[in-house]
Amino acid sequence: AEAGHVEPGEMRLNDQGQLVVTGHSNGNFPAGRSRAAAVPDGLQLEDFQIETDVLSWEPTGAFRNVMLMGRVRQIGFGTMDAYMALYHTGDRRLEIWRVTDEMSFVNLGNSPSFEAPTKGFRFIFTGRGNELTAQVESLDGEVLVSTTATDD
């Protein structure tokens, strides 16, 4: 594929009612590697819990991150506000960030360094009031790492 070319991705529900997201880029796309988003129109939730199962994972080689976002508002270039949970493969840690106007990032919390399992993992981001929690579990439900932050 030529530089900057992105193959179409897919978002669908499987037979178990799970959202399956696939996508691919050749890594030379200016906005980075594959991504997908589902934002229900007009829905504003203060408390949230977002989970995703990462079934195939190759943490070595190219720089890879996995991110979940909650309380997303004002979606648009340079206007988006949100909270972000990030598994940062460079530092091998879980991080929680407050994002303002898509350009300002404030780190609210970090986990100790850990290595996500290559056989897959569950990534969970929860917000209850001003308490935010990011957690990585094995696909069997064993908690591997967790970090919590408070944003006043």
Side-chain angles (χ1 to χ4, degrees):
E2 63 187 74
H5 177 74
V6 177
E7 296 295 325
E10 175 185 31
M11 292 180 74
R12 63 179 172 79
L13 290 176
N14 67 15
D15 294 336
Q16 292 79 40
Q18 300 165 323
L19 181 65
V20 177
V21 179
T22 59
H24 174 75
S25 77
N26 63 10
N28 295 322
F29 189 64
R33 291 202 170 285
S34 304
R35 59 199 48 169
V39 181
D41 190 30
L43 182 63
Q44 291 291 321
L45 300 175
E46 288 304 311
D47 291 345
F48 65 89
Q49 181 165 322
I50 306 164
E51 298 182 20
T52 188
D53 288 352
V54 178
L55 302 177
S56 177
W57 180 249
E58 298 174 21
T60 59
F63 183 74
R64 290 173 172 78
N65 290 326
V66 179
M67 171 182 36
L68 295 173
M69 299 180 94
R71 295 187 186 140
V72 179
R73 293 187 174 88
Q74 302 177 45
I75 297 172
F77 184 72
T79 62
M80 183 190 71
D81 299 333
Y83 288 99
M84 175 174 64
L86 174 73
Y87 171 50
H88 189 281
T89 60
D91 295 336
R92 295 190 344 252
R93 64 183 182 181
L94 204 52
E95 302 171 347
I96 298 175
W97 294 83
R98 181 179 60 234
V99 181
T100 306
D101 293 333
E102 197 178 355
M103 301 296 189
S104 173
F105 295 83
V106 176
N107 184 283
L108 301 174
N110 300 296
S111 74
S113 183
F114 77 104
E115 192 67 48
T118 57
K119 63 182 177 246
F121 59 91
R122 180 166 295 124
F123 190 17
I124 304 168
F125 187 31
T126 306
R128 302 271 186 263
N130 64 349
E131 296 288 324
L132 302 161
T133 302
Q135 183 169 297
V136 172
E137 297 180 350
S138 69
L139 293 175
D140 306 1
E142 175 190 355
V143 176
L144 303 175
V145 68
S146 181
T147 189
T148 302
T150 302
D151 189 21
D152 296 319

